[in-house]
Amino acid sequence: MTLVRGLPGLLVLTSLLAGCADLPPVRAVRIATASVSEVMCNAAFVQHLDPQRAYEDELRPAGGMGLIAWGLHSEVDAARHEVRTTFAGRALGRAAWREGGGCTVMHGEGDLPTAHPPGARPAADGPDPFPGLAQPAPIAAADPRLAAAVDAAFAEDEGATPRRTQAVLLVQHGRILAERYAADVAPDTPLSGHSISKSVVHAMVGILARQGRLDPDAPLGLPAWSAPGDPRAEITPNLLLANASGLPWDEAARGWDDATRMWHIEPDPAAYAMGVPAQTPPGACFAYSNAGWTVLSRVIRDLNGGTADGFNTFAERELLGPLGMRHTVLTLDATDTPMGANLFHASARDWARIGLLYLNDGVVNGRRLLPEGWVRDARRPTLDAGYGRGFWLNHRHDRHPLPGRWGLPGAPAEAYFARGYLGQFIVIVPSLDLVVVRLGISYRPGGDVDTVGRLVGEVAAALRPS
């Protein structure tokens, strides 16, 4: 759900100047330079947006960043498709783009291995399953109530924290009712999903389960988790999908939490994730674990040859192709493991296709992609949390351990949703055959969750029979 959290600048500066490279504040500077490079690289080479504006919108407002912004210097190298960022001439962070892999945080000066781009792979046979999402131009709302709801989701309140809504898309019965984009965004612009990437991983695990290649209720049997007495030996894919594996909650309001360290400093994030010890017995409690989703991403890669091409071929043949997702980038790390915890990109219409897959019980063009019961189980609460498997639920609205709410206040209670840091949402309302996509870069509480809940509620009210 995050790239860079708060960075206590005074400690960072004093520690860096003292040369204490092992202290967490210095680690936070390294995370910052890698994050800036990653965000700017994605803007320049994946999204084709202004990289400097991406930094200003996504990272500059993060707590503490203002204290070190004076020392950050980034260079966008269009010829090499990379971005390099330093702080005070040190703590180099580097991110490089490759077709078929997106923008990857680099460690050292080496080159990335080659991956074949999605266009080089055969698409799935058959017609577009959602032709209503293939319109060449944005669709304006015919209903003034829907138009007003969409406009309100973009409205900026004077003196308030910016909403920075990038896209809103309303889809009912597989066709677009309304959509609107920020001035620099188009219907085919791949926008960061942050943690809604986890819902794509949930779908991929489901596909592997349907194929009989992975038992979601059997322990993974990872060598790193197989020592006698290690409780992780009992962790199953379903426990990881439910954030109930026993691995600890690894996001916090600091620049050196385990999740940001894993993504931006560790050369092999999945190996690092496999080394995270269990905090509680598997199945005992809910804890939002990016490490768990990173382990699942490695498992998906390894079951498809352990290579970028193997993973990309699987993703295209079994998910992206059948769904008609043509503006999607599944970012890979330097080990060719998909960044399924936080860094997939897709257009608003492509994110809607993920929502429609779940709305239609995992069946597309008459073909079952997800096993029977997979969508039902995604909506089943985990313990006492407002979370199912790969999706958040709307049956409770109190505060969870991170700043924000479990649910989506204002939306129908039946709604369930994918949710990403800074306000990326795919909301599914089954009784209305409705998918609402909202993408943005908002530092409002919960990624502006209250506004998104109000949007979904107003849309639902307009669509329900009077």
Side-chain angles (χ1 to χ4, degrees):
M1 295 169 69
T2 179
L3 285 173
V4 169
R5 300 287 191 178
L7 303 174
L10 184 59
L11 287 175
V12 168
L13 295 178
T14 56
S15 299
L16 184 60
L17 292 174
C20 301
D22 292 334
L23 292 181
V26 180
R27 189 191 310 154
V29 171
R30 293 175 58 201
I31 290 170
T33 57
S35 297
V36 171
S37 293
E38 181 184 75
V39 166
M40 295 181 71
C41 179
N42 280 313
F45 305 117
V46 174
Q47 301 169 306
H48 304 292
L49 301 175
D50 180 357
Q52 182 62 33
R53 178 173 178 183
Y55 160 72
E56 295 289 344
D57 287 350
E58 186 160 335
L59 296 182
R60 183 65 173 80
M65 280 293 286
L67 296 173
I68 64 169
W70 63 269
L72 293 172
H73 175 72
S74 297
E75 294 183 355
V76 179
D77 188 331
R80 291 179 56 87
H81 297 102
E82 70 174 34
V83 178
R84 303 167 72 93
T85 302
T86 57
F87 174 74
R90 301 173 63 182
L92 172 67
R94 177 182 170 224
W97 172 86
R98 56 175 163 160
E99 285 195 89
C103 281
T104 299
V105 170
M106 301 294 292
H107 305 277
E109 296 292 345
D111 294 328
L112 283 163
T114 300
H116 294 118
R121 301 192 301 267
D125 295 332
D128 188 331
F130 307 112
L133 298 184
Q135 305 299 320
I139 305 298
D143 187 325
R145 296 171 297 175
L146 298 182
V150 171
D151 289 345
F154 279 83
E156 297 290 358
D157 302 325
E158 186 175 355
T161 301
R163 285 197 173 93
R164 292 198 178 96
T165 302
Q166 295 175 299
V168 169
L169 176 64
L170 313 180
V171 180
Q172 188 181 42
H173 308 318
R175 65 181 185 88
I176 298 172
L177 297 181
E179 61 186 327
R180 179 177 166 182
Y181 299 93
D184 57 347
V185 175
D188 60 355
T189 301
L191 296 174
S192 175
H194 291 288
S195 281
I196 61 177
S197 308
K198 293 178 172 74
S199 300
V200 179
V201 171
H202 180 267
M204 291 181 176
V205 173
I207 291 167
L208 291 169
R210 178 185 56 78
Q211 294 174 336
R213 301 168 62 196
L214 182 68
D215 184 346
D217 291 311
L220 282 169
L222 301 176
W225 292 356
S226 61
D230 191 335
R232 299 175 302 174
E234 301 303 317
I235 294 176
T236 67
N238 266 336
L239 287 172
L240 291 170
L241 293 170
N243 286 314
S245 64
L247 299 179
W249 201 304
D250 55 15
E251 288 189 15
R254 301 189 300 272
W256 53 82
D257 61 23
D258 285 344
T260 49
R261 171 181 177 172
M262 175 177 65
W263 293 326
H264 298 110
I265 291 181
E266 296 297 328
D268 187 340
Y272 176 80
M274 291 178 192
V276 174
Q279 189 174 64
T280 61
C285 68
F286 176 89
Y288 193 85
S289 172
N290 289 282
W293 292 92
T294 302
V295 169
L296 283 172
S297 298
R298 174 61 63 83
V299 169
I300 294 169
R301 186 207 73 171
D302 288 350
L303 286 174
N304 289 286
T307 65
D309 287 349
F311 168 75
N312 284 339
T313 299
F314 164 76
E316 180 72 20
R317 182 184 64 239
E318 304 296 340
L319 184 66
L320 306 186
L323 286 178
M325 297 175 70
R326 293 290 172 255
H327 304 289
T328 298
V329 177
L330 305 181
T331 308
L332 306 176
D333 68 19
T335 71
D336 287 339
T337 299
M339 296 288 286
N342 72 315
L343 207 61
F344 291 167
H345 291 75
S347 67
R349 292 179 179 184
D350 276 7
W351 285 124
R353 291 170 186 267
I354 292 292
L356 288 166
L357 172 67
Y358 282 81
L359 186 62
N360 293 322
D361 193 35
V363 176
V364 178
N365 267 352
R367 172 186 171 188
R368 177 163 287 283
L369 300 188
L370 306 180
E372 289 190 25
W374 196 252
V375 173
R376 179 198 63 224
D377 289 345
R379 301 174 61 188
R380 187 175 64 195
T382 297
L383 303 170
D384 62 346
Y387 194 84
R389 295 178 186 173
F391 288 86
W392 300 81
L393 310 179
N394 201 32
H395 70 286
R396 56 183 292 189
H397 296 141
D398 53 318
R399 296 283 175 178
H400 61 61
L402 282 179
R405 299 181 184 274
W406 284 113
L408 200 59
E414 64 171 312
Y416 63 105
F417 53 100
R419 178 178 185 176
Y421 172 60
L422 298 182
Q424 299 81 32
F425 291 84
I426 307 170
V427 185
I428 301 164
V429 185
S431 69
L432 293 174
D433 202 24
L434 174 69
V435 172
V436 176
V437 175
R438 187 274 187 182
L439 304 171
I441 309 173
S442 179
Y443 276 86
R444 290 187 174 207
D448 204 16
V449 64
D450 289 339
T451 296
V452 177
R454 184 165 59 250
L455 165 68
V456 177
E458 290 173 354
V459 170
L463 296 178
R464 289 197 187 281
S466 55

